[in-house]
Amino acid sequence: MATRGGIKAGHAYILIEALDKTEAAFKTVANRLNNLSQKFLITGRQTALYTAALTIPMVSAINTARDFSDEILYLQSKLRATDQDMIPLIGHIKELAKSSTFVALEITQAASALAEGGFSRKEIADSLRAVMDLSRGARMGLDESAKLVVDSIRTFELSSAEANKVVDAFIIASKNGTINVQELAQSFSYSALSANQMGMSLEETLAALSAMSLRMLKSTKAGTSLNQMIQSLSISHEKLAAIGVSGFTKEGGEKPILNILTELALATRKMST
């Protein structure tokens, strides 16, 4: 029987030699294809990862842009403004975003909070910078800061141009007491209306709440306590005098309300001990 090693001539040799060469060629091609497929596999994975790395931020950016557009539409509906009316305010929001750590979407949400409080386009433009400053200085959310600015301006009948004054008053009062702005805001919500009706200013109201924090009266407890003291001032001067509190100076003029409140608080404490 002929073998590959013994056949040296004829068609059998040629056929066997051809088969040998073909087999070797197939092995070489197979090895190359295998190596190539591995390279494609690695490259495919790398390409997929690279594509994902590019796609994720693109999708995020698209979603953010969509959210911003939706928030602008909501703000526009609250302001009952036309597209033309919104152009200056949108431009102002984008300019603020360029010079701060807040993105345009966050600033627009703050603008919406101001609009919910009844602010006009001009009032929103006047107040947004102050709201952003309060948010950073007090570590509060922008929408929370916006609501506090709205409540303060509306309760004490201030103008939106005085938004910076509001922010300064809260920051200073917080520093003078043992209370943060969030706690101060909570106290404020329980006493601001009564304080304003009694003729107290924003600064006087916050100073009283700050002083109360030094006596461990904070948040709702401070607000309700101040509100009760203010209500007590509505009684007659004779009744105040009966508990050792005078509403007049030695010269006969009326004492500042904050002074009367301080005396009333001391008198009430003595009565309870």
Side-chain angles (χ1 to χ4, degrees), residues 38-55:
Q38 291 298 322
K39 288 181 180 179
F40 274 126
L41 182 60
I42 294 171
T43 303
R45 288 174 181 170
Q46 291 173 337
T47 302
L49 290 172
Y50 180 70
T51 302
L54 289 176
T55 303

Side-chain angles (χ1 to χ4, degrees), residues 92-199:
H92 182 57
I93 289 171
K94 289 181 177 180
E95 284 301 314
L96 289 174
K98 288 179 183 178
S99 59
S100 76
T101 56
F102 298 110
V103 299
L105 173 59
E106 293 173 312
I107 299 172
T108 307
Q109 289 169 338
S112 295
L114 293 172
E116 288 168 355
F119 271 30
S120 65
R121 297 192 306 277
K122 181 182 182 305
E123 287 177 316
I124 290 172
D126 288 342
S127 306
L128 273 176
R129 173 68 72 180
V131 168
M132 292 163 63
D133 290 341
L134 179 60
S135 178
R136 284 193 299 266
R139 296 182 180 179
M140 298 170 64
L142 267 178
D143 57 341
E144 187 181 3
S145 299
K147 290 173 183 175
L148 183 55
V149 169
V150 167
D151 290 344
S152 301
I153 287 176
R154 290 296 188 238
T155 301
F156 286 89
E157 302 173 16
L158 305 173
S159 73
S160 58
E162 296 177 280
N164 285 323
K165 171 185 173 181
V166 171
V167 172
D168 290 343
F170 272 93
I171 296 296
I172 291 170
S174 173
K175 289 180 178 179
N176 288 340
T178 56
I179 190 170
N180 60 42
V181 174
Q182 289 90 335
E183 292 171 324
L184 193 58
Q186 194 170 20
S187 301
F188 182 79
S189 67
Y190 281 84
S191 55
L193 184 59
S194 295
N196 178 61
Q197 290 173 344
M198 190 56 68

Side-chain angles (χ1 to χ4, degrees), residues 68 72 75-76 83 85-95:
F68 174 67
I72 286 292
L75 174 60
Q76 184 175 354
D83 292 344
D85 292 334
M86 291 298 294
I87 291 175
L89 183 56
I90 293 172
H92 182 57
I93 289 171
K94 289 181 177 180
E95 284 301 314

Side-chain angles (χ1 to χ4, degrees), residues 197-219:
Q197 290 173 344
M198 190 56 68
M200 294 175 67
S201 68
L202 171 67
E203 291 83 355
E204 287 174 331
T205 305
L206 293 177
L209 293 171
S210 178
M212 294 174 76
S213 74
L214 297 174
R215 295 174 174 81
M216 301 307 294
L217 289 172
K218 301 180 182 181
S219 302

